[in-house]
């Protein structure tokens, strides 16, 4: 090459090169050494290098799909009003609960300041006829349970105990007077409720008899016994207590008001799951409740079962929310976390985990959607609700496990949220009927034989 050709090529290069960028680069690397190394590359190596550099240059320009656990777009089946409620609940949880969820979970304390804000959503008892400003479907109740659990399973549990179990007991088993006294205030969250069924020595076997007893003395009932794992009970204004009548042997329900003599609720400590939920060990010693506070329409355990069947569907939705929160958190993480020069979301094994997660999540959501449709059509059976509880709580365990796995060591840190979902999934797996008990309910329905121990 002639001297004039070299000068001409140099001038052209000087026009194309950003001298400021070249100066900054020279501060980071030895340019002569880089030029020597690049000059020694063969054509194949140079092409590979240029491909990598161009790929790095486009970083951030690649449009990634949104992070959304509703892979089959089930939200499109909601009405405009239902979708509005869903997004309002989502916004509330994102804005008010997510920033404080890990802090309160770690301290095992409840954020009482969110109750007035949650009340403004106007979602308590949303599926109960005549309660609140508008009646919605059980499907909407399930969607709400999912949205709450998507951010914090503890808050979803608090709400489910209050709006589902406590309000549901009064709605199903209470007299008109009891409904008028309690439900409007509970719907506005001016009064908070709890539900006392499980006992220290009686969990799955509650249908076979409760250890807590009641006996009538004049216009009062005297309650004796203990209840365990009772959410909200440390601060509730009313606790629904179920007991066995000493005379008839039948189950009866009572509305025990806050401050009732002989009633003591002690906070349970050292839980590994649902730490924000204030579970209590309740002890009743000659606790006197007036006849007017006995749930007038509860005659046997079958009436309690009506409440449980109604709320078990919401618990299945809660499992969906827990899985969805874990999946979306993990997906977001894998898109940001880089190893070997690229996001781990681009790795085959990571994508396999993500696909397994979204598959389970989608199956759970579609199952629960149909479950709620059956409930709204008054076709829901015990076995329908039990199958959903079994499947969803089991699949949730798998989803949260994979979510933790794709995060590696960071998966055990609260700051990434998934660790909390992993722990809380264990509680969902056990409450509202264990996998074994719900499996036997479904097994009895499909075989015609009861495998329960009599």
């Amino acid at each position: 090459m002639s001297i004039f050709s070299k000068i001409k090529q140099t001038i052209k290069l000087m026009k194309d090169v950003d001298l400021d960028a070249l100066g900054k680069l020279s501060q980071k690397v030895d340019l002569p050494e880089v030029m020597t190394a690049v000059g020694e590359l063969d054509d194949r190596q140079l092409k590979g290098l240029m491909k990598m550099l161009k790929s790095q240059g486009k970083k951030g320009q690649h449009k990634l799909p949104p992070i959304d656990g509703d892979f089959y777009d089930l939200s499109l089946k909601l009405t405009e009003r239902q979708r509005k409620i869903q997004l309002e609940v989502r916004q509330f949880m994102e804005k008010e609960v997510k920033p404080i969820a890990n802090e309160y979970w770690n301290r095992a304390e409840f954020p009482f300041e969110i109750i007035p804000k949650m009340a403004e959503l106007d979602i308590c008892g949303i599926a109960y006829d005549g309660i609140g400003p508008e009646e919605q479907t059980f499907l909407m109740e399930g969607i709400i349970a999912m949205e709450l659990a998507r951010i914090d399973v503890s808050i979803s549990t608090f709400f489910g105990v209050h709006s589902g179990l406590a309000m549901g007991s009064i709605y199903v088993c209470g007299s008109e007077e009891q409904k008028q006294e309690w439900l409007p205030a509970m719907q506005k969250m001016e009064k908070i409720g709890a539900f006392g069924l499980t006992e220290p020595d009686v969990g799955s076997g509650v249908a076979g008899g409760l250890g807590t007893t009641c006996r009538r003395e004049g216009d009062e009932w005297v309650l004796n016994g203990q209840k365990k794992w009772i959410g909200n009970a440390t601060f509730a204004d009313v606790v629904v207590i179920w007991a066995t009548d000493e005379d008839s042997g039948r189950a009866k329900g009572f509305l025990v008001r806050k401050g009732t003599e002989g009633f003591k609720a002690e906070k349970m400590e050292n839980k590994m799951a649902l730490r924000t939920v204030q579970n209590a060990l309740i002890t009743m010693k000659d606790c006197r409740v007036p006849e007017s506070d006995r749930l007038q329409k509860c005659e046997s355990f079958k009436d309690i079962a009506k409440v449980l069947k109604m709320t078990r569907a919401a618990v299945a939705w809660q499992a969906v929310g827990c899985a969805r929160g874990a999946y979306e958190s993990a997906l977001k993480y894998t898109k940001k976390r880089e190893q070997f020069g690229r996001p781990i979301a681009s790795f085959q094994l990571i994508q396999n985990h993500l696909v397994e997660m979204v598959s389970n999540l989608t199956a759970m959501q579609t199952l629960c959607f149909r479950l709620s449709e059956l409930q709204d059509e008054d076709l829901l059976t015990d076995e329908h609700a039990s199958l959903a509880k079994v499947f969803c709580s089991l699949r949730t365990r798998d989803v949260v496990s994979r979510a933790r796995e794709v995060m590696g060591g960071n998966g055990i840190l609260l700051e990434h949220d998934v660790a909390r979902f992993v722990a809380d999934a264990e509680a969902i797996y056990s409450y509202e009927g264990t996998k074994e008990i719900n499996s036997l309910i479904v097994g009895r329905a499909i075989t015609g034989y009861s495998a329960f121990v009599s």
Side-chain angles (χ1 to χ4, degrees), residues 26-73:
S26 67
Q27 294 175 3
K28 298 179 180 179
V29 298
D30 186 335
L31 282 177
E33 184 179 342
V34 170
M35 292 175 65
T36 300
V38 172
E40 293 175 351
L41 298 177
D42 59 30
D43 289 346
R44 182 183 62 82
Q45 291 171 325
L46 278 172
K47 286 181 181 179
L49 175 63
M50 292 307 298
K51 183 178 180 181
M52 183 187 74
L53 291 174
K54 288 179 180 179
S55 174
Q56 291 294 320
K58 292 179 180 178
K59 185 178 176 181
Q61 298 176 12
H62 178 55
K63 188 176 181 181
L64 298 175
I67 295 172
D68 185 2
D70 186 9
F71 195 72
Y72 272 12
D73 291 325

Side-chain angles (χ1 to χ4, degrees), residues 145-147 149-151 153 316-326 421:
M146 177 188 70
E147 288 295 335
R150 173 180 167 268
I151 298 297
V153 181
W317 273 109
Q318 192 178 78
V320 173
C322 179
R324 182 167 178 174
F421 287 120

Side-chain angles (χ1 to χ4, degrees), residues 420-445:
R420 177 163 47 83
F421 287 120
V422 170
D424 289 346
E426 291 303 303
I428 297 175
Y429 185 72
S430 295
Y431 65 41
E432 283 277 356
T434 62
K435 173 186 178 293
E436 289 75 18
I437 292 298
N438 279 304
S439 293
L440 294 183
I441 292 173
V442 178
R444 181 177 58 193

Side-chain angles (χ1 to χ4, degrees), residues 16 63-64 68 85 87 99 110 127 192 201 217 220 253 284 298 308 317 321 328 333 350 360 379 390 409:
D16 293 337
K63 188 176 181 181
L64 298 175
D68 185 2
I85 294 172
L87 294 179
F110 187 86
I192 300 298
D201 297 321
E217 292 185 358
E220 292 183 323
M284 290 162 285
C298 177
L308 296 175
W317 273 109
E328 291 179 349
Y333 178 88
I350 295 296
N360 280 326
L379 297 174
V390 167

